[in-house]
């Protein structure tokens, strides 16, 4: 079976990986160089279905709870299983209670335990929620490793567009590029930045509850921190706005004042593709399988959706074979 996967974001690479594992011959096309057009490149990489349940459907928790195990099977040793810490400024303790009332899988911890888990946060927050089952990974490392793994297994990469006619099956993983083509798909802009400082050390993603959008800081090691992310209902890409930059920096400063002296090493804005229910879908249109609508959950849900898409592709062929045999 010769399959073309369009799009080398997390959706395209995970489905390609699953299809190669099941014996298909895969070509992956993407006009973006080095993931430059992929929202996946800008992601936090949090595998945080219990926290996400605060605003997401139960299906996100159901499909995402074994995400860390799935990633471990794809790329052993890349998942960090240190949990998530959720804090709020002391004056906003009601925010923390509200978050707790909408989620499960956490325990309340107090100042002493916060200091043990994250010494940099000692004395800064009286209470926090610890979600011990959550995990995270480094999206940039994982995308590059997945690509290398696929190349080593014989997959072909085209930096550009491929001719559909050369393939028996197409898997469309073009993300936000389909906004406008698919009536139901919309874009939700997410802005982020990278800060660098040796004055703060964190071992796990920390979410700071914020009245407008949940701000999180994900440690990447060696003093590098990803700060994200805005949630703006638009598919316009373009650089981060001054307002968003100020809000993200304010949140980082509220978490730890040493972030005021950090270097801003990168800013970016990506478009999250989303359906009205904010859940991803795998659908078939003729010989094309579409996987899209990952919204805030591309890394969380892509491995599960890749398996679902591969089942759809192979069951289609089993049915064809069965029809031929009948
Ligand atoms: C700031 C930010 C933070 C986020 N944090 C998290 C997080 O912590 N955890 C999480 O699970 N999710 C997170 N997300 C969401 C996640 O990044 C997205 O859900 C995910 O990247 C969507 O992946 P995708 O592969 O569908 O799309 P993309 O990564 O956008 O990839 C689509 C690819 O298709 C290519 N393409 C376009 N047109 C064509 C064509 N005609 N032919 C071939 N290729 C084409 C593009 O060049 C692109 O490379 C975050 C998103 C943002 C923006």
């Amino acid at each position: 079976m010769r399959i073309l996967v369009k799009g080398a974001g997390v959706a395209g690479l995970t489905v390609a990986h699953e299809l190669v594992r099941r014996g298909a011959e895969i070509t992956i096309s993407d006009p973006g160089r080095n993931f430059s057009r992929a929202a996946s490149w800008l992601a936090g990489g949090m595998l945080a279905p219990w926290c996400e349940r605060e605003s997401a459907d139960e299906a996100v928790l159901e499909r995402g709870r074994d995400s860390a195990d799935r990633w471990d099977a794809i790329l052993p040793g890349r998942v960090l299983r240190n949990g998530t810490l959720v804090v709020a400024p002391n004056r906003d303790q009601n925010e923390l209670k509200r978050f707790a009332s909408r989620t499960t899988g956490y325990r309340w911890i107090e100042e002493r335990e916060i200091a043990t888990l994250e010494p940099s946060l000692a004395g800064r927050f009286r209470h926090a929620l610890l979600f011990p089952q959550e995990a995270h990974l480094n999206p940039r490392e994982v995308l590059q490793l997945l690509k290398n793994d696929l190349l080593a297994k014989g997959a072909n990469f085209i930096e550009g567009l491929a001719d559909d006619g050369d393939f028996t099956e197409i898997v469309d993983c073009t993300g936000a590029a389909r906004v406008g083509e698919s009536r139901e798909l919309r874009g939700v802009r997410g802005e982020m930045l990278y800060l660098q400082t040796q004055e703060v050390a964190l071992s796990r993603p920390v979410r700071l509850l914020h009245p407008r959008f949940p701000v999180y800081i994900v440690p990447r090691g060696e003093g590098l921190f990803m700060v994200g992310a805005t949630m703006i209902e638009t598919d316009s890409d373009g650089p981060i706005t001054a307002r968003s930059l100020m809000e993200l920096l304010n949140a980082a400063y509220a978490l730890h004042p040493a972030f005021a002296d950090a270097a801003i090493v990168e800013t970016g804005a990506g478009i999250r593709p989303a359906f009205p229910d904010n859940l991803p879908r795998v659908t078939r249109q003729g010989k094309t399988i579409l996987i899209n609508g990952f919204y805030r959950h591309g890394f969380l849900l892509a491995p599960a959706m890749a398996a679902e898409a591969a089942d759809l592709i192979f069951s289609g062929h089993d049915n064809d074979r069965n029809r031929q045999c009948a």
Side-chain angles (χ1 to χ4, degrees), residues 211-288:
R212 268 176 26 90
F213 52 85
V215 181
Y216 50 82
I217 300 194
V218 188
R220 292 276 188 259
E222 297 178 0
L224 196 61
F225 298 87
M226 185 268 188
V227 184
T230 57
M231 298 276 291
I232 302 170
E233 290 286 334
T234 175
D235 55 18
S236 84
D237 47 7
I240 190 169
T241 63
R243 175 203 291 269
S244 297
L245 186 60
M246 283 190 291
E247 287 184 336
L248 292 172
L249 288 174
N250 273 335
Y253 180 69
L255 189 74
H256 199 298
F259 280 119
D261 294 314
I264 302 175
V265 291
E266 185 183 327
T267 62
I271 305 302
R272 309 175 184 92
F275 289 112
D277 58 5
N278 294 333
L279 295 173
R281 295 182 190 170
V282 175
T283 51
R284 185 186 270 284
Q285 277 174 20
K287 73 168 184 174
T288 301

Side-chain angles (χ1 to χ4, degrees), residues 6-11 29-32 37-40 42-46 161 173-175 177 190 192 216 226 229 270 272 294-300:
K6 293 183 180 177
V10 69
S29 70
D30 196 317
R37 297 197 201 172
S40 304
L42 301 174
M46 291 176 299
L161 301 176
C173 300
T174 56
M192 47 71 73
Y216 50 82
M226 185 268 188
R272 309 175 184 92
F294 279 99
Y295 184 53
R296 288 167 58 92
H297 307 128
F299 283 84
L300 179 63

Side-chain angles (χ1 to χ4, degrees), residues 5-21 26-30 34-35 38 40-41 71 74-75 139-151 153 155-157 171-174 291 294 298-299 302-303 306:
V5 175
K6 293 183 180 177
V10 69
L13 294 184
T14 48
V15 76
H17 183 273
E18 182 63 18
L19 291 169
V20 165
R21 198 181 67 79
I26 297 293
T27 295
I28 299 145
S29 70
D30 196 317
N34 296 330
F35 311 105
S40 304
W41 190 249
W71 276 110
I74 295 171
L75 289 171
R140 297 182 176 184
E141 179 187 70
V142 157
L143 290 169
Q144 196 56 60
L145 287 172
L146 262 177
K147 183 173 178 181
N148 295 347
D149 186 55
L150 285 161
L151 282 167
K153 288 176 175 153
N156 179 29
F157 276 81
V171 186
D172 186 314
C173 300
T174 56
I291 313 177
F294 279 99
F299 283 84

Side-chain angles (χ1 to χ4, degrees), residues 1-4 6 163-172 283-290 312-313 317 320:
M1 206 189 309
R2 295 195 68 221
I3 302 179
L4 171 65
K6 293 183 180 177
D163 183 352
D164 291 10
D166 295 342
F167 300 89
T168 46
E169 206 103 31
I170 315 291
V171 186
D172 186 314
T283 51
R284 185 186 270 284
Q285 277 174 20
K287 73 168 184 174
T288 301
I289 303 279
L290 296 125
L312 190 62
I313 291 168
H317 282 264
D320 290 348

